[in-house]
Amino acid sequence: MTNEEIKELLRIFNESGVGELELQRGKDRLRVRKAGEGVSPAAFAGPPPAPVTIPSALAAPAAAAEPEPAKPAESARADVKSPIVGTFYDAPSPGAAPFVKVGDKVEVGQVLCIIESMKLMNEIEAEVAGMIAAKLVENGQPVEYGQALFAVQPR
Amino acid sequence: MTNEEIKELLRIFNESGVGELELQRGKDRLRVRKAGEGVSPAAFAGPPPAPVTIPSALAAPAAAAEPEPAKPAESARADVKSPIVGTFYDAPSPGAAPFVKVGDKVEVGQVLCIIESMKLMNEIEAEVAGMIAAKLVENGQPVEYGQALFAVQPR
Amino acid sequence: MFQKILIANRGEIALRVICACKDLGIRTVAVYSEADRNSLHTRFADEAICIGPAKSARSYLDIPSVISAAEISNADAVHPGYGFLSENADFAEVCETSGLTFIGPSPQVIRLMGLKQMARAAMDEAGVPILPGSKGILKSAEEAEELAAQIGYPVMLKAAAGGGGRGMRVVRDAGSLASLLAQAQAEAAAAFSCGDVYMEKLVENPRHIEFQVLGDQHGNVEVLGERECSIQRRHQKLIEEAPSTAVTPELRERVSRNLRAAFKAVGYTSAGTVEFLMDAAGNLHFIEVNARIQVEHPVTEMVTGVDLVVAQIRIAMGEKLEDILPRTPRLCGHAIECRINAEHPETFAPSPGRITGFNLPGGSGIRVDTAAYQDGVIPRYYDSLVAKLIAYGSDRTQAIARMRRALDMFVVEGIYTSIPLHRRILEHPDFVAGKLDTGFLARTGLALEKK
Amino acid sequence: MFQKILIANRGEIALRVICACKDLGIRTVAVYSEADRNSLHTRFADEAICIGPAKSARSYLDIPSVISAAEISNADAVHPGYGFLSENADFAEVCETSGLTFIGPSPQVIRLMGLKQMARAAMDEAGVPILPGSKGILKSAEEAEELAAQIGYPVMLKAAAGGGGRGMRVVRDAGSLASLLAQAQAEAAAAFSCGDVYMEKLVENPRHIEFQVLGDQHGNVEVLGERECSIQRRHQKLIEEAPSTAVTPELRERVSRNLRAAFKAVGYTSAGTVEFLMDAAGNLHFIEVNARIQVEHPVTEMVTGVDLVVAQIRIAMGEKLEDILPRTPRLCGHAIECRINAEHPETFAPSPGRITGFNLPGGSGIRVDTAAYQDGVIPRYYDSLVAKLIAYGSDRTQAIARMRRALDMFVVEGIYTSIPLHRRILEHPDFVAGKLDTGFLARTGLALEKK
């Protein structure tokens, strides 16, 4: 690893939003950590947990305090997220067959589910073509903005 | 890794904004951490400064919050520290010649100064033999516990 | 009795409402934008629902998202805090039609108070002293010129739907009236989708004095004394106190009597604030009603012992004022509030960012209302209020001494704050003497905008 | 008027004294051990002097170091806080001979109050109800047996110079008296270099009730009501409140009258606390006087509006009580204090260390006295008090609601604290009903010492 390569890697790292990076290239090995990471990453992070007073609980990784945390690179799956707050329905009407089920192939624009908000039924469409890898919300369950509804394995 | 390479890497590290870096190149291994990283250095360190509200001031390295901070390895000089709170006198009586001056050779047990505390005159003796490298307190000045009085270059 | 209240706000006021709900044993639902995922109102509410991205227009100001959040969480009531949807009559109406109690005045009253010249007329009728000015909207430059000549220059043009200084113009002579009127109308139209403008006599460097009102659903109205908010920078309040050094018991009693009549007449419920200007002769002139809880409400709480947010909630549940207020309401002691903002103390440039060092002052007579914490972020999307620092004392002298002490012990690192400016103000002889007016900052040079 | 006060203490009480000095415009000198270099009292005092290593014996308890620090900083007075040198008559004496005003009672009075059986006699004379017991020191096992038979078992043996539970033994029958007396004497001799022991009737599971006294240098004494401190674990107070649910206005007035007489008779100056046990029949029995400011003084401040530390300083400057206290002293509202300690809430094992996450509760009715901050360290060398959380309300119900809310919003990460225990206590029906006694924790099982 040359210094130039390291410099470039640090730049990539800094822009990435991740907290820690470990890299092995042949015999060379690089490990970097963000300033402040690992010690007190957003001490109060996460949605309303009971106040934590137990030291061990502090080790839990926490979300960054700024919006739009970087997506983990581990997966190529695309999440379909709810664009509104409301109630999730997987079928056009009670008792009807669901719009999609796990394993189904979907096309761009295909309706995946309905989110009811203020008595309005909002159809949620696929934005990528692929296969439904997982259904993440139960029928009738309330969902918040940005909540993942389905995981799609893109084609 | 040559010292020059390390110097260059430290510069890159400092400019990068990351908190910690670990690098292995063949058999060489380098690990650096920002001042204060990992322990999160006593945000309120140091004796009564004016409350700091200016971001840049935060970069100042801070003393550890626990007592007995490690001495910097850079110097072999030994500080003679005041074992008590009181007033420093460099001579046995007003107008008399000082016990020691910079450049003097001193032996273990030789009186270096007096600290007056509650009307009592306490003689402070050298604990190492060597040369007085610096006198750090003015005659008549108050000193606190642990304050450095002289720097001695040990023999 | 409400089981669950949704708080349609963020920051310190959301936390303030959570405190009131906890004190009453009512469960809470926080709503938050993606920028507030790690904020304390999100943490300390019993439930929290993400309602949209950082931009307020798509989260805290988005009525369908807020209502949906109340629906999926089965809340029975909504507390709007201040700002955002708090004075939005449409929102209050949608709440009602969605079966949610809006904790505030009725949509009709909010609408009335939002139309400044209508509110003026309502107060005028009940004998509340109002500023000389137009009866309603200015219809033409000619009408405006005639009226201004009659009132006497300087005059002030104000947007009927206004707020925040937009659509406002000071007119010092007849020559500039027509063009300034056109400017004000254009600005008002752009800002509020309504170009209506009215005229008032300009009071130069007045004191800003406001009265706290509470009304219940049974026709009872009480006035809980006044607050002085004369320390302002460009119409932004910096320091507020209660009581005012310029209001005598007689004046307080007379205005309170008028206000009780006026607020009963309009059927006002919940908390409201009536803003006045005081001229150099000590006369009060009504300017507007803020139909919501105010940022500076804690100074009134300190001197009356009344929890105003708890009172709002209990009023919304149908309780009577006589059961909510102490038997013999009285003012006791003196309270001062400093708004600690995330802004440079000299340039006033906003200073959002991460707080890297934080120490809250405490001890006797100190109250802090804040949602900030060390390692937390003041997002750039919302207002710059970091904390409200409130000092109480048995008299103004003690309150000032305690405030100075608390400012000395308030540490915020990582961002700039207005703390140094507050220190300078609290040391100024005019402030100490209670010689306040809205020209204080400009006159004293304490807020010189260097650079 | 003092120009500069040296504070011979650390932690929250040092900061508390700094607050009082700032409120009075008096400069402050902090002293600190090497373990407290980064502590807030060191930061917020005008000057700070390191006086020794971490061990208290060589720093905060070392009289020459403290006096030297006062001399080199030209302080005119010394405030001892509580603990450390606060009830050390020798220290008070050295202060006086060094030309420093000791902010507390005279050395003679401190000495008198330190000798428990002497203090008992002084109170007895003025008509303060005391526990049946020995007139003075027990001279022999025979004398002790005779006395115990007369008083009736169970009885309590106590070290004359005692405190903190050392040199104390409960004796339930004549058979064990002689050996327990020997144990108590040996323990007292080891702990206080004085093996003197006296006897008192044991009151089982009493309430712990104490009265706050202030005396000036002109012979005036006032009593500022009582505090109830019955929630204890092994004689360590955990929760205190004012007023007590068990003290009637008549009882308060009668005891206050007796105490005024007793304290005038001994020439008491400054703040002091008179501790009583209350038996099941509601009778008070004097146990001892603490001749200093008490940890739990804030609850009295909240209900009287009197700043007790400011009062101590003004008394030491020679001011009269009538100028210091409000014209018509009265109790108003209810206050509760929870001592947040750095200890495991179940095992009570001390938990010193670095605080990695910290959020102080605020809002209406909440006061926090603390010297802790995020990234700060609770050193292992000193007591485990992290913060005093004080809730005030117009009545006890409101104070409890606010305390619960504040406990919910108090976050301390990195160390264990007693916050979870406080939450459980505040929820317990007996606590809510005001059914308190020193057996509360053991009886309710809330502080079960698991493993």
Side-chain angles (χ1 to χ4, degrees), chain A:
Chain A
M1 252 182 271
T2 68
N3 284 0
E4 268 318 300
E5 282 173 324
I6 292 171
K7 218 161 145 182
E8 171 69 6
L9 282 167
L10 288 181
R11 206 186 45 73
I12 294 170
F13 170 72
N14 270 330
E15 286 168 3
S16 71
V18 305
E20 208 172 330
L21 178 145
E22 212 171 320
L23 174 72
Q24 186 130 19
R25 269 190 190 155
K27 272 189 279 187
D28 295 351
R29 202 168 146 274
L30 176 74
R31 187 166 157 269
V32 281
R33 191 149 46 150
K34 276 265 162 67
E37 278 311 305
V39 268
S40 60
F44 305 98
V52 177
T53 49
I54 299 162
S56 68
L58 297 172
E66 281 281 86
E68 294 302 331
K71 278 168 209 142
E74 32 123 90
S75 157
R77 284 181 4 175
D79 281 348
V80 177
K81 292 184 176 174
S82 177
I84 49 170
V85 183
T87 306
F88 173 91
Y89 294 111
D90 62 5
S93 60
F99 291 107
V100 291
K101 52 187 194 305
V102 172
D104 281 4
K105 295 230 163 65
V106 295
E107 298 301 325
V108 172
Q110 184 176 338
V111 173
L112 304 178
C113 63
I114 281 171
I115 307 286
E116 181 196 340
S117 173
M118 293 185 73
K119 320 285 175 233
L120 282 175
M121 300 297 169
N122 303 278
E123 293 185 338
I124 308 301
E125 299 173 351
E127 287 180 356
V128 292
M131 189 196 68
I132 300 292
K135 182 184 164 208
L136 304 168
V137 179
E138 291 304 305
N139 192 41
Q141 189 183 317
V143 293
E144 60 181 8
Y145 174 85
Q147 187 170 341
L149 307 172
F150 295 97
V152 176
Q153 190 72 47
R155 225 184 12 228

Side-chain angles (χ1 to χ4, degrees), chain D residues 1-6 17-29 46 76-77 103 313-314 317:
Chain D
M1 178 76 184
F2 299 139
Q3 299 302 310
K4 205 190 262 185
I5 292 176
L6 180 134
V17 178
I18 291 174
C19 287
C21 291
K22 281 180 178 276
D23 290 357
L24 291 167
I26 298 171
R27 293 177 61 80
T28 50
V29 183
D46 295 303
D76 351 72
I103 299 174
I313 297 169
R314 292 178 64 181
M317 295 194 291

Side-chain angles (χ1 to χ4, degrees), chain D residues 239-289:
Chain D
I239 298 183
E240 302 98 348
E241 58 186 291
S244 163
T245 54
V247 174
T248 61
E250 296 69 38
L251 178 59
R252 183 178 302 124
E253 187 40 47
R254 195 173 68 232
V255 173
S256 298
R257 203 164 46 233
N258 289 338
L259 290 177
R260 273 194 296 270
F263 276 65
K264 277 183 191 180
V266 300
Y268 197 97
T269 54
S270 197
T273 296
V274 194
E275 301 204 326
F276 291 89
L277 300 182
M278 182 184 265
D279 61 28
N283 299 309
L284 289 176
H285 306 280
F286 169 84
I287 39 175
E288 66 178 41
V289 173

Side-chain angles (χ1 to χ4, degrees), chain D residues 60-350:
Chain D
Y60 298 109
L61 285 169
D62 187 58
I63 296 179
S65 295
V66 173
I67 298 287
S68 285
E71 286 181 343
I72 67 170
S73 59
N74 291 311
D76 351 72
V78 173
H79 195 299
Y82 53 68
F84 292 134
L85 298 170
S86 62
E87 290 178 286
N88 184 319
D90 295 343
F91 177 64
E93 222 156 50
V94 177
C95 282
E96 312 263 288
T97 58
S98 305
L100 296 161
T101 304
F102 176 81
I103 299 174
S106 67
Q108 299 73 36
V109 167
I110 296 176
R111 206 160 270 138
L112 175 71
M113 295 304 168
L115 296 167
K116 308 298 177 191
Q117 88 287 4
M118 298 286 281
R120 260 169 67 91
M123 293 298 133
D124 196 12
E125 247 169 64
V128 178
I130 64 164
L131 272 180
S134 56
K135 283 285 173 204
I137 300 307
L138 295 172
K139 297 206 178 55
S140 66
E142 293 68 41
E143 184 199 337
E145 275 164 13
E146 199 170 303
L147 192 61
Q150 194 183 315
I151 296 171
Y153 288 91
V155 298
M156 183 79 135
L157 302 176
K158 283 179 158 185
R166 280 172 305 177
M168 278 170 71
R169 288 293 183 282
V170 171
V171 188
R172 301 209 169 265
D173 52 59
S176 56
L177 179 57
S179 76
L180 288 169
L181 176 61
Q183 282 177 27
Q185 286 170 328
E187 201 170 291
F192 313 112
S193 316
C194 163
D196 290 351
V197 165
Y198 63 102
M199 184 190 292
E200 273 175 2
K201 170 96 185 125
L202 175 71
V203 182
E204 305 243 34
N205 293 336
R207 283 175 178 257
H208 179 115
I209 287 169
E210 60 189 29
F211 281 72
Q212 177 66 50
V213 176
L214 280 181
D216 67 17
Q217 297 176 9
H218 309 276
N220 307 300
V221 172
E222 284 298 337
V223 181
L224 278 77
E226 80 285 354
R227 296 184 284 263
E228 165 133 21
C229 318
S230 297
I231 306 296
Q232 304 184 348
R233 179 184 164 270
R234 300 195 176 167
H235 299 282
Q236 297 295 316
K237 296 167 187 166
L238 274 172
I239 298 183
E240 302 98 348
E241 58 186 291
S244 163
T245 54
V247 174
T248 61
E250 296 69 38
L251 178 59
R252 183 178 302 124
E253 187 40 47
R254 195 173 68 232
V255 173
S256 298
R257 203 164 46 233
N258 289 338
L259 290 177
R260 273 194 296 270
F263 276 65
K264 277 183 191 180
V266 300
Y268 197 97
T269 54
S270 197
T273 296
V274 194
E275 301 204 326
F276 291 89
L277 300 182
M278 182 184 265
D279 61 28
N283 299 309
L284 289 176
H285 306 280
F286 169 84
I287 39 175
E288 66 178 41
V289 173
N290 294 323
R292 52 166 160 83
I293 194 76
Q294 203 99 331
V295 176
E296 59 270 25
H297 75 274
V299 292
T300 298
E301 295 186 326
M302 301 305 278
V303 297
T304 60
V306 175
D307 187 314
L308 290 169
V309 180
V310 164
Q312 284 187 301
I313 297 169
R314 292 178 64 181
I315 286 169
M317 295 194 291
E319 289 192 53
K320 290 185 173 169
L321 279 185
E322 62 186 74
D323 298 323
I324 296 171
L325 300 178
R327 223 132 326 151
T328 49
R330 54 188 202 90
L331 300 182
C332 177
H334 197 96
I336 303 176
E337 172 181 287
C338 288
R339 295 194 193 186
I340 312 299
N341 294 323
E343 58 190 25
H344 193 285
E346 277 154 12
T347 64
F348 296 97

Side-chain angles (χ1 to χ4, degrees), chain A residues 44-46 48 51 64-65 117 144-145, chain C residues 38 42-43 49-50 52 64 68 373 375:
Chain A
F44 305 98
S117 173
E144 60 181 8
Y145 174 85
Chain C
N38 295 317
T42 303
R43 173 175 181 141
I49 298 171
C50 181
S68 285
Y373 61 96
D375 298 339

Side-chain angles (χ1 to χ4, degrees), chain B residues 45-129:
Chain B
V52 177
T53 49
I54 300 164
S56 69
L58 297 171
E66 282 281 88
E68 293 303 327
K71 278 171 210 140
E74 32 123 90
S75 158
R77 284 182 2 174
D79 281 347
V80 177
K81 292 185 176 174
S82 178
I84 49 171
V85 182
T87 306
F88 172 90
Y89 294 110
D90 62 5
S93 60
F99 291 108
V100 290
K101 50 188 196 302
V102 172
D104 282 5
K105 294 228 162 68
V106 296
E107 297 300 325
V108 172
Q110 184 176 338
V111 174
L112 304 179
C113 64
I114 281 172
I115 306 287
E116 181 196 339
S117 172
M118 293 186 74
K119 319 289 174 228
L120 283 177
M121 299 298 166
N122 303 279
E123 294 184 338
I124 308 301
E125 300 173 351
E127 288 181 354
V128 291

Side-chain angles (χ1 to χ4, degrees), chain C residues 37-56:
Chain C
R37 193 170 291 279
N38 295 317
S39 68
L40 292 191
H41 78 286
T42 303
R43 173 175 181 141
F44 289 126
D46 295 303
E47 298 169 44
I49 298 171
C50 181
I51 54 164
K55 279 207 157 179
S56 333

